[in-house]
Amino acid sequence: MNIKLYSAYALFFFGIIVNAQQVLTTDEAVKLTLEHNYGIKIANNIVEVAENNTGVLNSGYLPTLTGNAGAAIDVQDSEGQRVDGDVITAKDVETRRYNASLNLNYTLFDGLGRLYNYKRLKEEYQLSELEARETIETTMLQLFSIYYTVAQLSENTDALEETLVISKDRLVRAGYQFDYGQSTKLGVLNAEVDINNDSINFINAKQQLRNTKRDLNVVLGNQISEEYHVDTDLSFLFDLNKEELLDKTKANNVSLMQADRNINISQFDIKTNKAQFLPTIGLVGSYGWNESSTDNPLAFTVQSTTSGLSAGLNLSWNLFDGGGTLTRVKNAKLVLENQKLQKEQLNIDVERNFNNAWDDYQNKLLIYHVQEDNIKTSQNNFERTQEKFKIGQVTSIEFRQAQLNLLNSELNRNQAKYDAKLAELTVLQLSGELLNVDF
């Protein structure tokens, strides 16, 4: 009786300690992951790079303006002859020259190459957004896989601890029965062996739980520094409709949307390469300033300064480049054809994967319901066996078997519950709805 009292106190105080720990809900886990997961941060930076590439500063539509300046000093000896025949010599004649200019270049027409390249960059930006979304979806699945593993191990640990408490109570009863001559020493020894096995299983489960919590913290960006436990209550989206989700899969699956972006990029590659067949017309303009001065007594002009504007048009047409442009166009068309073939293959794969995932979800949901019914049967059987064991109508071996049946039912129920939830999340990911539901 004292052992029961102590066990009740221990469970009571353990419950107080657990409640004092931080409870990490699924909503909090999602928020921390989106804010601090390193893979998601990297994906967001890649999207920002792609967005910068689509700006006007990278479009090629703005002119280029360059400035040039220079200065030179010459020191020379010069010699001249007058009309009367006298020779005049000038030593260390210094000549200074200065110049500065601004040059403007602007492409008026390049065969629409800039336009197609700009549209291609827009498609690449949208593709990077889809790749970031794929990273987020994959990370969310990883998060919930580990989160629900923690939840499952938490419930398993509780079940194993309860089993250990029952085994200790059984050892006390076996000791009483032996002391009063109602059983042999074998009953006590069997109870001690079972306690050792239950203790080992409980210790291993706690260690596995601690390790998995560390794995979860890595996904969260190492944001949980204190001890915590997770929410083991979950619900299923029983109103899911297969046909509606299949339609959403064909329209919103991230892999199919990426394939569409790649097809568009390939089409713009063809147009960009074809633009090289056309001429390029450019506008050029410059403003220049030049100054020259000398102290040469033989020079007619001691200092001169010139400045002025100039402008013009230039045309460049690569009439034949050895066939390089034609080859690039042909190759770009083949790439486009491959992208379209990959999209057709991907459609088949995605539909197959969705049907498999849906059937897997329904199967695991059914197994979970069966395990729920099975645990009720095992609980009822254990309680009856326990009552009979107390009055000596069943052996310790029969009692142990009923105890293990209940434990296995609880462990199997926990496994089935979280397997079904992860299968549901996989269906939502394939249909593009993973980030649109409340967890």
Side-chain angles (χ1 to χ4, degrees):
M1 187 68 183
N2 289 335
I3 293 296
K4 283 187 175 181
L5 185 61
Y6 293 149
S7 299
Y9 284 151
L11 290 174
F12 174 75
F13 287 112
F14 177 76
I16 294 177
I17 293 173
V18 168
N19 290 329
Q21 294 175 356
Q22 177 182 357
V23 179
L24 179 67
T25 65
T26 53
D27 290 339
E28 292 172 343
V30 169
K31 181 180 179 181
L32 288 173
T33 301
L34 291 175
E35 292 178 355
H36 302 286
N37 181 270
Y38 290 101
I40 293 178
K41 285 183 177 181
I42 293 172
N44 289 334
N45 286 338
I46 293 174
V47 172
E48 189 171 349
V49 170
E51 185 178 10
N52 291 337
N53 288 337
T54 62
V56 66
L57 297 178
N58 192 51
S59 65
Y61 280 102
L62 297 180
T64 61
L65 184 64
T66 58
N68 297 293
I73 299 176
D74 294 334
V75 179
Q76 298 177 350
D77 296 336
S78 62
E79 184 179 280
Q81 187 176 16
R82 292 180 179 179
V83 180
D84 58 6
D86 294 337
V87 177
I88 301 175
T89 302
K91 298 286 189 180
D92 298 327
V93 174
E94 185 177 280
T95 302
R96 296 175 180 268
R97 298 181 182 88
Y98 305 96
N99 65 83
S101 65
L102 288 175
N103 301 293
L104 176 71
N105 287 276
Y106 183 64
T107 301
L108 297 175
F109 178 76
D110 65 345
L112 300 179
R114 288 177 302 179
L115 175 63
Y116 298 137
N117 185 61
Y118 180 71
K119 291 183 177 181
R120 185 185 192 279
L121 290 174
K122 287 288 188 182
E123 292 291 336
E124 288 183 346
Y125 168 62
Q126 294 178 9
L127 179 60
S128 68
E129 285 188 317
L130 291 173
E131 290 171 346
R133 173 186 151 188
E134 183 180 29
T135 298
I136 293 174
E137 289 182 353
T138 303
T139 304
M140 287 297 104
L141 277 184
Q142 181 188 20
L143 166 68
F144 283 111
S145 176
I146 302 177
Y147 184 94
Y148 289 137
T149 300
V150 172
Q152 178 185 341
L153 290 173
S154 298
E155 292 191 317
N156 289 352
T157 302
D158 292 341
L160 290 169
E161 184 179 30
E162 183 180 356
T163 299
L164 180 59
V165 171
I166 294 172
S167 296
K168 289 181 178 179
D169 181 67
R170 172 189 158 201
L171 176 61
V172 173
R173 290 184 176 277
Y176 287 158
Q177 291 174 350
F178 175 73
D179 291 339
Y180 290 100
Q182 296 178 353
S183 67
T184 64
K185 185 68 174 178
L186 182 61
V188 176
L189 295 176
N190 286 336
E192 290 178 346
V193 170
D194 291 337
I195 285 178
N196 290 335
N197 291 331
D198 292 342
S199 297
I200 292 172
N201 293 334
F202 180 57
I203 292 171
N204 289 334
K206 289 196 296 183
Q207 180 61 47
Q208 188 177 4
L209 177 59
R210 287 193 295 267
N211 292 344
T212 309
K213 282 185 175 181
R214 295 188 187 101
D215 294 339
L216 179 59
N217 204 10
V218 171
V219 179
L220 300 176
N222 201 31
Q223 294 299 306
I224 304 295
S225 58
E226 58 187 81
E227 183 61 27
Y228 67 94
H229 64 280
V230 300
D231 189 0
T232 57
D233 294 329
L234 57 82
S235 59
F236 295 93
L237 303 175
F238 294 108
D239 59 342
L240 294 178
N241 182 279
K242 181 180 180 181
E243 297 303 322
E244 291 181 359
L245 286 178
L246 182 57
D247 291 338
K248 290 181 178 179
T249 298
K250 295 177 180 179
N252 301 322
N253 180 271
V254 66
S255 297
L256 293 177
M257 296 177 73
Q258 286 177 338
D260 288 334
R261 299 281 78 77
N262 284 322
I263 288 174
N264 292 342
I265 289 173
S266 296
Q267 290 173 338
F268 286 126
D269 282 339
I270 295 174
K271 294 178 180 179
T272 301
N273 286 317
K274 283 184 175 180
Q276 299 177 24
F277 288 124
L278 299 176
T280 299
I281 301 175
L283 172 66
V284 295
S286 66
Y287 173 80
W289 170 82
N290 295 273
E291 180 179 295
S292 175
S293 64
T294 179
D295 59 359
N296 189 346
L298 303 179
F300 291 101
T301 302
V302 176
Q303 180 174 347
S304 65
T305 301
T306 60
S307 63
L309 292 169
S310 64
L313 292 173
N314 58 39
L315 182 145
S316 175
W317 197 341
N318 192 352
L319 298 176
F320 182 69
D321 64 351
T325 301
L326 183 60
T327 301
R328 286 190 292 270
V329 170
K330 289 181 178 179
N331 290 340
K333 289 181 178 180
L334 291 174
V335 171
L336 174 61
E337 181 64 24
N338 285 340
Q339 294 287 357
K340 291 180 178 180
L341 292 174
Q342 289 174 4
K343 171 71 180 298
E344 294 177 5
Q345 178 64 48
L346 190 59
N347 273 318
I348 298 174
D349 292 340
V350 167
E351 186 171 354
R352 177 206 59 192
N353 293 340
F354 173 81
N355 288 324
N356 289 344
W358 177 265
D359 290 344
D360 182 60
Y361 170 52
Q362 297 298 316
N363 183 60
K364 288 181 177 177
L365 200 58
L366 177 62
I367 292 175
Y368 170 58
H369 292 315
V370 171
Q371 292 293 351
E372 282 278 87
D373 295 335
N374 185 48
I375 200 171
K376 295 177 182 178
T377 304
S378 299
Q379 181 68 39
N380 185 42
N381 176 65
F382 174 74
E383 290 175 354
R384 290 175 178 270
T385 304
Q386 188 177 39
E387 291 299 324
K388 290 184 178 181
F389 177 71
K390 291 179 181 179
I391 60 178
Q393 292 184 354
V394 297
T395 64
S396 61
I397 295 177
E398 292 173 320
F399 175 80
R400 178 62 175 178
Q401 186 60 50
Q403 182 187 19
L404 292 178
N405 288 340
L406 176 59
L407 175 61
N408 290 332
S409 296
E410 291 176 339
L411 298 181
N412 291 335
R413 186 271 313 273
N414 296 340
Q415 180 75 46
K417 178 170 70 171
Y418 295 110
D419 282 350
K421 187 60 180 179
L422 290 175
E424 179 185 83
L425 295 177
T426 300
V427 171
L428 293 174
Q429 183 203 21
L430 289 171
S431 62
E433 292 293 301
L434 181 62
L435 305 180
N436 299 328
V437 297
D438 295 327
F439 301 102

